[in-house]
Amino acid sequence: MAAVPTTLAALDMARERYGSMTLAQLIAPAIAVAERGYRLNPSQIVWSNVYFELLLRSGYLRLIALDDGSLVGRPADEDAAIGRPGDLRCRPELAATLRLIQERGVGVFYRGEIADRIDADMVAHGGFVRKADLAMLRVREVPALQAAYRGFRVITFPAPGGGPAVIGALRILESFSSALVAERSTWRHQVLLEATRIAYATRSSPDRIAFPRPGAAGSAPYEDDLASLITPGVPIADAALRGPVPPGCEPPGESTTQISVADSQGNVVSLTQTLGRSFGAKRPAAGEVVFN
């Protein structure tokens, strides 16, 4: 299932409010990479193998992800279709889409020609997004999530981002001595890892964790009780952290990318992008509009 894509609008709002370059300047390097191509790396090949059957069934997507030049049938040489490390992949249609945005602005994606293509593809394949949905998108800034940790003020990204998990992990760590957290030991590393795993498991719904919930979330006793789940040399089982998982709600794959960029004036941008799974929703419309 694909929802209204928000990344383009969010990045453009950040550029308008805080940036010093034009959209045309910022998008130019991406156009150049799409035109001259990029080299396949081993990770991309592994993920293509994992999703090979889905790629074959995804019509136009197989032309993007595979090098078999056909919309039907299995490639005669599946390994060659996926590619080898160092193989060059060019994306001329992606370059054309990016150039259209470069010339006309992000409005062409949400209210113009690209929105028309998204709408048509959704209608043709039973999707839910329509051009009116794209046009209604509005980007807004939200206050940062803040908390205290051992006398420091922590500022992080609010829900639905990973900030609540960061705060949750720090609260669990406060149940351990600062000396332990600072020392170089296997026990210290286990505490850090398990605190993060517990916090991640409980960030969206504390009831996901398969242990009795002893108190109200956010209270010191609650974090103390969660900390007591960490036993030296004994990892917490994944099943215990996840609890029962309904069919179709399995955890996403490892397809998240995080970058941090700083300029000479001291401005810093931290950006996290996730598809949930490789190739996202696996739905592109002809013309290189990809729904993640």
Side-chain angles (χ1 to χ4, degrees):
M1 180 182 295
V4 173
T6 60
T7 298
L8 181 60
L11 292 179
D12 194 52
M13 184 205 74
R15 178 197 62 81
E16 286 185 342
R17 294 192 181 181
Y18 306 107
S20 58
M21 300 174 69
T22 66
L23 176 64
Q25 290 174 311
L26 292 172
I27 209 168
I31 295 174
V33 171
E35 287 181 328
R36 69 172 178 258
Y38 62 93
R39 301 289 177 179
L40 287 181
N41 62 47
S43 176
Q44 292 168 323
I45 294 170
V46 168
W47 283 114
S48 294
N49 270 298
V50 170
Y51 292 108
F52 188 72
E53 295 296 332
L54 288 174
L55 295 176
L56 288 180
R57 298 199 299 266
S58 295
Y60 180 67
L61 180 57
R62 68 183 285 167
L63 295 182
I64 297 174
L66 304 177
D67 191 29
D68 67 324
S70 170
L71 281 172
V72 295
R74 299 187 69 89
D77 186 342
E78 294 180 3
D79 289 338
I82 293 173
R84 296 177 175 82
D87 284 356
L88 187 67
R89 288 286 189 268
C90 297
R91 303 282 286 273
E93 289 189 317
L94 175 59
T97 298
L98 293 174
R99 187 170 287 106
L100 191 61
I101 297 170
Q102 182 188 47
E103 294 170 354
R104 304 186 191 177
V106 299
V108 72
F109 187 95
Y110 294 99
R111 296 177 295 280
E113 179 182 330
I114 297 177
D116 290 332
R117 281 154 45 191
I118 293 174
D119 186 282
D121 186 84
M122 288 285 179
V123 171
H125 296 94
F128 297 99
V129 177
R130 296 293 181 268
K131 186 175 181 180
D133 300 315
L134 295 165
M136 286 192 295
L137 176 67
R138 298 293 182 271
V139 180
R140 63 187 179 91
E141 284 191 74
V142 295
L145 182 64
Q146 300 189 39
Y149 173 71
R150 301 186 194 270
F152 292 93
R153 183 165 64 116
V154 179
I155 302 175
T156 184
F157 196 84
V166 173
I167 300 302
L170 292 176
R171 286 175 172 166
I172 293 171
L173 289 177
E174 281 191 310
S175 299
F176 297 88
S177 69
S178 57
L180 169 64
V181 175
E183 73 182 27
R184 297 172 63 89
S185 67
T186 302
W187 172 223
R188 176 250 191 182
H189 287 298
Q190 182 186 346
V191 167
L192 294 177
L193 289 170
E194 297 289 37
T196 303
R197 293 178 65 220
I198 293 170
Y200 188 83
T202 60
R203 67 172 184 165
S204 57
S205 173
D207 296 324
R208 281 189 62 191
I209 193 167
F211 295 96
R213 188 180 179 192
S219 65
Y222 178 54
E223 270 70 39
D224 288 343
D225 284 325
L226 289 179
S228 69
L229 302 174
I230 305 174
T231 304
V234 182
I236 302 173
D238 287 337
L241 286 175
R242 290 173 55 192
V245 180
C249 297
E250 291 79 10
E254 299 175 353
S255 303
T256 300
T257 301
Q258 203 284 330
I259 60 171
S260 296
V261 182
D263 66 13
S264 59
Q265 300 177 36
N267 300 305
V268 178
V269 174
S270 179
L271 174 66
T272 303
Q273 288 275 85
T274 183
L275 298 178
R277 294 181 184 273
S278 286
F279 301 108
K282 305 171 186 66
R283 273 301 315 158
E288 201 73 42
V289 181
V290 181
F291 313 135
N292 288 331

